[in-house]
Amino acid sequence: MMLYVGLAGALLVGVLLGLLGGGGSILTVPLLVYVLGVEPRTAIAMSLVVVGVTSASGALFHARAGRVRWRTAFVFGAGGMVGAFLGGKLNPLFSASTLMLFFAGVMVAAAIAMLLRTEATRVSTEVTPRATTHVGRILLQGLCVGILSGLVGAGGGFLIVPALALVGLSTPMATATSLVVIALQCAAGLVGHLGHVELPWKLTGEVLAVALAGSLLGGKLAGHVAPGSLRKGFAVFVLATATFLLWAQLPLGLRARLGQGLASAGAWPWVAVATGVGLPIVLWRLRVVRQRATRGH
């Protein structure tokens, strides 16, 4: 029964990846661990397969449209591949609980990046001169993102896209180019994991096939869904999932005491959390609306 629930979740991950691009696959590891019952270290390696292949599929689509900057992708990807391989080798040095805590932190960062991201108002294939310079900076950024990807199995698109934008790529080109980088560093990260992880290839293939089908479906739906609103809602869901991951890693005794404390406190803790999370988002949205109104005048 849980296998079918997990495959349905993989379909959803694929659809989100097709709709959102970077960030859509961040739920792959939690899905494998908490729904399909895969050991965290194995789930991270499986995620590299799923994320890498689905990203490569998306990159081919964007390449046909001329949105991939291959030189930048290979320079960034070179650093990312070295970093991802190192991250894969570093992975056994950490306990499963520590890795899941790292991943929860990555999910929080990804959610914040999605909440703050602004949509491009036009699709451009132009590139500024800066995109052909700063090779050293691109390599260093790729190395850092790659280590994160290899260590916890996240594609890192939420970090790659802003990094590529900083060196002169437009947002559509940065998003397309990031898919090539993600595919390259996932492949290198997987090589780093293979020496100490035995993958269940049958389950990996099933999850991958369903995720690929979902990404194709998401790509077809992309023109009918407002990506900005979807991304904001998905970011809130990712934050909730990260909260669950953090809660699940707490010692049982501490969880029991916290649960009793929350039950006795009534609704006030939830009101405080909702206010602490919601108020900054509302204030930020109001500021964005004011800025747009000012530019419109």
Side-chain angles (χ1 to χ4, degrees):
M1 178 63 182
M2 292 307 292
L3 174 62
Y4 296 111
V5 175
L7 292 178
L11 181 68
L12 176 62
V13 166
V15 170
L16 289 169
L17 184 64
L19 285 170
L20 301 175
S25 60
I26 194 72
L27 295 179
T28 306
V29 169
L31 173 72
L32 293 171
V33 173
Y34 293 104
V35 178
L36 292 174
V38 180
E39 190 271 331
R41 218 177 299 277
T42 304
I44 288 171
M46 289 176 65
S47 175
L48 291 171
V49 177
V50 175
V51 174
V53 175
T54 50
S55 296
S57 170
L60 290 175
F61 170 79
H62 286 287
R64 292 194 192 101
R67 289 192 287 269
V68 174
R69 300 301 299 181
W70 291 104
R71 181 179 183 275
T72 305
F74 287 131
V75 172
F76 200 110
M81 290 178 76
V82 173
F85 180 79
L86 291 175
K89 290 298 184 184
L90 290 172
N91 179 279
L93 302 179
F94 299 94
S95 67
S97 295
T98 302
L99 290 170
M100 295 308 293
L101 287 174
F102 283 162
F103 192 84
V106 170
M107 293 185 76
V108 171
I112 293 172
M114 284 187 278
L115 286 171
L116 297 179
R117 178 174 169 181
T118 56
E119 302 302 318
T121 56
R122 61 184 179 92
V123 176
S124 170
T125 57
E126 296 177 356
V127 57
T128 69
R130 285 187 302 155
T132 58
T133 59
H134 306 304
V135 172
R137 188 207 301 182
I138 296 173
L139 281 169
L140 181 60
Q141 289 171 335
L143 179 70
C144 295
V145 175
I147 291 174
L148 177 68
S149 176
L151 188 62
V152 299
F158 68 97
L159 292 173
I160 297 171
V161 172
L164 292 175
L166 284 176
V167 296
L169 271 63
S170 65
T171 300
M173 293 184 70
T175 301
T177 304
S178 74
L179 293 174
V180 178
V181 177
I182 291 170
L184 291 173
Q185 66 186 25
C186 282
L190 179 63
V191 172
H193 279 270
L194 288 180
H196 53 81
V197 170
E198 185 69 31
L199 285 182
W201 288 108
K202 181 175 182 293
L203 178 60
T204 303
E206 292 170 343
V207 172
L208 174 59
V210 173
L212 279 172
S215 69
L216 293 175
L217 177 60
K220 292 185 179 298
L221 294 174
H224 306 283
V225 180
S229 301
L230 180 63
R231 183 171 282 107
K232 300 299 186 290
F234 180 60
V236 173
F237 181 69
V238 169
L239 278 175
T241 306
T243 302
F244 168 77
L245 289 184
L246 291 170
W247 177 265
Q249 299 311 310
L250 292 176
L252 287 175
L254 180 58
R255 266 190 283 169
R257 288 195 296 272
L258 287 174
Q260 291 171 355
L262 289 173
S264 62
W268 287 109
W270 306 110
V271 172
V273 170
T275 303
V277 173
L279 186 59
I281 294 174
V282 170
L283 293 174
W284 167 70
R285 290 299 298 170
L286 289 173
R287 188 179 68 178
V288 170
V289 170
R290 282 198 297 269
Q291 289 174 344
R292 289 176 179 171
T294 303
R295 284 198 296 266
H297 293 300

